[in-house]
Amino acid sequence: MYIHLMGTASAPAAACQTVAASCPCFALRKASRAVTQLFDEALRPVGLHATQFSLLVALRLLDAVRVCDLAEEVVTDPTTLSRNLAVLQRRGLVTLAAGGDRRTRLVVLTAAGHAALSRALPIWDATYRRLEAALSAPEAAQLLGSLDAMTRLAVSAREDRR
């Protein structure tokens, strides 16, 4: 079936080529999906996804932390974080405890969470080494520095809009 939509303008191909070739957001999202898939596959034997692993690492570093502070630390919105934490909580890897008042909840890594993280760390390390081997050590360090700078810039811009 052919449907002709009158008056519809197509996005200019040249502009789209420019975006695909030079937009940091486009490139970062593409790289993020690819790297996340690589880590998801690597972490499968311990039953973790890359996002879950990242949360366990953050919780290990922060100890008991308020959900809103954890969301800020991992640069995600509280709703998305709550969904991810619910999965970890069902698996017994984290607990949510009452904080200083009824509105505050603290997230704590459980013994099972510590054990899962301990099993996952060597797998993460081997996977990271594979990525690092594709770059030189200085390139890998420069990439991480650039990503950190971009994150700070984006977070700062978001805070300025508030």
Side-chain angles (χ1 to χ4, degrees), residues 19-99:
V19 168
S22 63
C23 175
C25 183
F26 188 92
L28 283 168
R29 291 185 58 77
K30 183 177 177 181
S32 177
R33 287 188 298 272
V35 171
T36 297
Q37 290 168 7
L38 177 68
F39 277 93
D40 279 349
E41 180 63 30
L43 293 167
R44 183 171 288 139
V46 292
L48 291 174
H49 291 282
T51 51
Q52 296 166 339
F53 173 79
S54 296
L55 287 175
L56 295 180
V57 168
L59 287 167
R60 175 61 184 91
L61 295 173
L62 298 171
D63 289 325
V65 62
R66 295 182 318 158
V67 173
C68 60
D69 293 335
L70 180 59
E72 190 173 299
E73 180 67 28
V74 298
V75 191
T76 192
D77 64 280
T79 303
T80 300
L81 178 60
S82 292
R83 280 196 309 269
N84 288 320
L85 289 174
V87 173
L88 295 174
Q89 188 177 23
R90 280 193 302 274
R91 294 190 52 208
L93 303 178
V94 302
T95 58
L96 275 75

Side-chain angles (χ1 to χ4, degrees), residues 109-160:
L109 200 56
T110 65
H114 282 280
L117 184 55
S118 292
R119 288 191 312 275
L121 281 168
I123 294 168
W124 171 87
D125 187 59
T127 307
Y128 174 76
R129 300 266 176 244
R130 281 180 56 201
L131 285 174
E132 193 177 46
L135 305 168
S136 67
E139 286 174 324
Q142 182 180 6
L143 174 62
L144 289 174
S146 296
L147 290 171
D148 187 51
M150 290 177 128
T151 301
R152 286 192 316 271
L153 174 70
V155 167
S156 175
R158 186 179 71 203
E159 290 170 353
D160 289 347

